[in-house]
Amino acid sequence: MRVAVIGGGPGGLYTAVLAKKLSPEWEITVWERDPRDAAFGFGVVFSDETLGGIAQADPEVFAAMEAEFARWSDIDIHYGGEIRTSGGHGFAALDRNRLREILQKRCAELGVDVRYSTPAPPVGQLSAEYDLVVAADGVRSATREAHAESFGVQLDERTCRYIWLSTDLVFEAFTFIVEERDFGVLQVHAYPYDDKRSTFIVEIEEGAWRRAGFAALADREFARGESDEAAVRLCEEILADHLDGHRLIPNASRWITFSTVRTSSWSHGNVVLLGDAAHTAHFSIGSGTKLAMEDALALVANLHEHPTVAEALAVYEAERRPAVESVQRAAQASLEWFETVGRYTGQDPDRFAFNLLTRSRRVTYDNLRARDAAFIDAIDPESAGVPPMFRPMRLGALTLRNRVVVPPLATFTAVDGMPGAFPHAQLAAQALGGAGLVLAGMTAVSPDGRATAGCPGLWTDEQEAAWRSTVEAIRRISDTPLGIQLTHAGRRGSTTTPGPNGIGLPLGHDGWPTLAASPLAWDEGYPVPREATPADLAAVTADFAGAAARADRAGFDVLELQFGHGHLVSGFLSPLTNHRTDAYGGSLAGRLRLPLEVLSAVRTAWPAGKPLIVRISATEWAEGGTTEAEVVEICRALAAAGADAVDVSTGEVVAHQKPPYGRSYQTPFADLVRNATGIPTIAVGAVSTHDDVNSILMAGRADLVAVGRAHLHDPLWTLHAAADQGYTGPGARWPEPWRPGSRKPPGPRGDRVPPRLELLRAETVPVHRRWRPGPAARPLPATASR
């Protein structure tokens, strides 16, 4: 086996080390364009998980690394003139150049041919001469660009500026500094990596970067390896209070923007990408070196386990891609949080610290408590008795006993718009299940406003009476507030019951004509809707108002209007579906005209003391759709017209959407609206654990959280969440007949008491560990946990 490695960074060298160790007979050649002793980069950070893999794969490399690690467990957050410290995290870092030296030495010991100061031959030549070519040539990979079409390269270029530096100030913990200045918000990511220096990354939003004067300093071409010395000195001046007289040290340091690299394929023939050449993750959450070394381990393992290179590369990518994409999702959330950090600088230091720590959605409320209970107790004094999800909230004139909402969950069991036995039973079960608010779903305001023939309605006296009967029956067993969602499905109407993808098929001859902002079919094979006339819109507005009055008479406590998911009113809000040139189209003011007319009419028909919620789709997940600035403007207009809260959903507006489905993936939009406007918001979308609910609320990303599918799985989800957390207060009231079930039943072997089998107990790992070079890193005094 002949293996060519392009790039002598940690990823390429570690690949060569592991391959040669497993197969000494292989011929492995590494090309590195820079000299052996070239010093680039600063410190790199590793997780315990990654270090475990390195220790198992090559104990010699691990031992050399471990001897030089800076280790600590604390995160310090400097914000608003105060410091908050969270412990129990666990970090290990070392100088990237020392890591390269360790790997260079190991390559020499094993007989790897490393050619320094030697650019690699063209990849086509290497591919012909070698059995395998490993391209570890970095984020600007020439190999990747040479076969960009095969690799399916996607670059997400961001605008935030950052400059990578070091300092001779040795920090004791991973340190975040967030400061508001006259030019904007500036943040620092810093951590120690040996007994003399720390990595020090300064990050700043583009506009603030320009206002601070950095753009003028950077307005020239820099030679390879040259640093923007003027910018470094200005950073020293701005951050002097945090540097305590120490200096910032550049190394080919200049302002750059981050690019997230994604590739649809990691191999092309016998050429495979590794590390930053294949993928990148923002520095605020992941180390490119860590990911590259994990790639190397997986690649070499599969080359050893499979008979052909083709098989090995296929399994390598299938095995490694999910882990990388998981890191990239977390890194994307973290990147976007820091890009918009100005949203949160009005928060108090306690909430801000929690928000920062949970920004990626990987670290959560329960996770932080497990790491450092004193930190949670300090920033959230109520936490010991009342988890965030079980704290009351006032919505309009109504007080909800907790922050959990059962969103509108359609059953598609109605006949001629009449709600039947199933929605009655579902609402009753959910009302008994402990949530603070339960909403009945997708109720049409007119016959042609139904999405499917199985959707309920509220346009006749008979329907009103059926809903009143349901509400009255539930009132006899539960005082949980009940709401109902009203909608006109527009071009999303006249379909079959949705399949697994949530999309119904056109009914054809059995359907009814549909109405929309513009005559645009939902997708190929769907009928073209009729463009609504002013008379149609007046009738729709009257239908909404009439249904709202019926909902009030039926006894509902809360009303939600469906202005999202591609339904009629949503179609007016989105520039992708509203191509009108009259007063109801064009500018955002025109696109808002129908929503505000409907809301105004409903607000008049719906009692002032009863809460009114509006659901929107904050993004279409498609190019050319609603911008974040427009979402903020839409929500401000809705609140001014009488909405008490906004239910912030996304998508389903156009068929060609590409949403990044994942855990709580829609929450950032509720966060945007809440923190930009102060309007109460409901977060929705793939939220299924009480830990995520608590995290969203504690961070101030939303005021209420809608938990949908989990309530279909378990109608008593909220009560069971209370039991899991040991909460028995008024925020989670068990129905009296069910009270014996309020304690979690014991499982198998639940009564077993394990014997002591340790002669000497393992030493307790301190929650707080600071990096203090010397004989030992001392724990942080308990009083400093704030």
Side-chain angles (χ1 to χ4, degrees), residues 123-141:
V123 67
Q125 177 184 331
L126 291 176
S127 177
E129 296 177 357
Y130 285 80
D131 300 300
L132 173 67
V133 180
V134 179
D137 49 350
V139 66
R140 295 177 180 83
S141 169

Side-chain angles (χ1 to χ4, degrees), residues 651-706:
E652 298 189 45
V653 178
V654 292
H656 61 279
Q657 65 177 5
K658 293 184 178 178
Y661 291 117
R663 183 172 132 257
S664 61
Y665 72 105
Q666 297 181 123
T667 299
F669 294 94
D671 186 348
L672 164 69
V673 173
R674 185 185 190 277
N675 286 289
T677 68
I679 299 166
T681 62
I682 303 174
V684 303
V687 180
S688 58
T689 70
H690 60 73
D691 192 15
D692 282 336
V693 174
N694 285 328
S695 300
I696 290 166
L697 296 169
M698 184 64 197
R701 298 184 180 114
D703 300 273
L704 297 162
V705 181

Side-chain angles (χ1 to χ4, degrees), residues 119 161 187 257 290 341 396 399 493 550 603 629 684 765:
R161 304 280 179 151
Q187 60 253 17
T257 57
K290 162 186 150 24
V341 69
T399 298
R550 291 185 183 279
R603 186 73 273 187
V684 303
V765 177

Side-chain angles (χ1 to χ4, degrees), residues 35-263:
R36 175 175 182 146
D37 58 355
F40 291 113
F42 304 104
V44 292
V45 181
F46 294 94
S47 67
D48 289 341
E49 182 180 53
T50 304
L51 292 177
I54 294 172
Q56 185 273 336
D58 193 310
E60 289 86 350
V61 166
F62 177 75
M65 292 171 62
E66 187 177 37
E68 302 199 26
F69 279 147
R71 285 190 178 273
W72 70 96
S73 65
D74 281 355
I75 297 176
D76 289 347
I77 299 165
H78 297 243
Y79 164 75
E82 300 185 37
I83 302 173
R84 297 292 183 267
T85 296
S86 171
H89 298 275
F91 297 98
L94 79 163
D95 187 334
R96 182 180 184 275
N97 295 300
R98 277 296 298 133
L99 175 61
R100 285 180 64 243
E101 289 173 7
I102 291 168
L103 294 171
Q104 287 169 349
K105 180 182 177 184
R106 188 70 174 131
C107 280
E109 291 170 353
L110 293 169
V112 175
D113 179 8
V114 183
R115 301 178 183 180
Y116 300 103
S117 302
T118 308
V123 67
Q125 177 184 331
L126 291 176
S127 177
E129 296 177 357
Y130 285 80
D131 300 300
L132 173 67
V133 180
V134 179
D137 49 350
V139 66
R140 295 177 180 83
S141 169
T143 308
R144 187 186 67 225
E145 294 310 307
H147 298 288
E149 200 168 302
S150 295
F151 290 123
V153 182
Q154 305 155 39
L155 297 180
D156 180 8
E157 303 272 359
R158 312 305 291 196
T159 59
C160 219
R161 304 280 179 151
Y162 68 100
I163 186 168
W164 207 293
L165 305 161
S166 71
T167 175
D168 53 4
L169 171 61
V170 180
F171 287 95
E172 296 183 354
F174 207 118
T175 301
F176 292 103
I177 301 168
V178 179
E179 287 205 345
E180 286 187 278
R181 295 300 183 106
D182 54 357
F183 53 77
V185 181
L186 169 146
Q187 60 253 17
V188 172
H189 313 244
Y191 55 87
Y193 59 85
D194 61 23
D195 59 356
K196 298 181 182 64
R197 291 191 179 182
S198 302
T199 295
F200 196 92
I201 306 166
V202 183
E203 186 180 23
I204 186 169
E205 179 270 326
E206 171 90 9
W209 179 77
R210 294 186 178 280
R211 291 189 294 274
F214 289 114
L217 300 177
D219 192 21
R220 68 179 181 86
E221 288 292 323
F222 291 92
R224 185 170 185 268
E226 183 186 4
S227 295
D228 185 346
E229 295 283 354
V232 177
R233 302 287 79 83
L234 182 53
C235 285
E236 273 186 344
E237 180 184 328
I238 292 171
L239 292 159
D241 289 348
H242 297 282
L243 290 169
D244 195 24
H246 291 265
R247 63 196 177 108
L248 293 178
I249 305 165
N251 183 341
S253 303
R254 65 192 72 168
W255 292 105
I256 54 179
T257 57
F258 189 82
S259 295
T260 300
V261 175
R262 297 180 178 87
T263 46

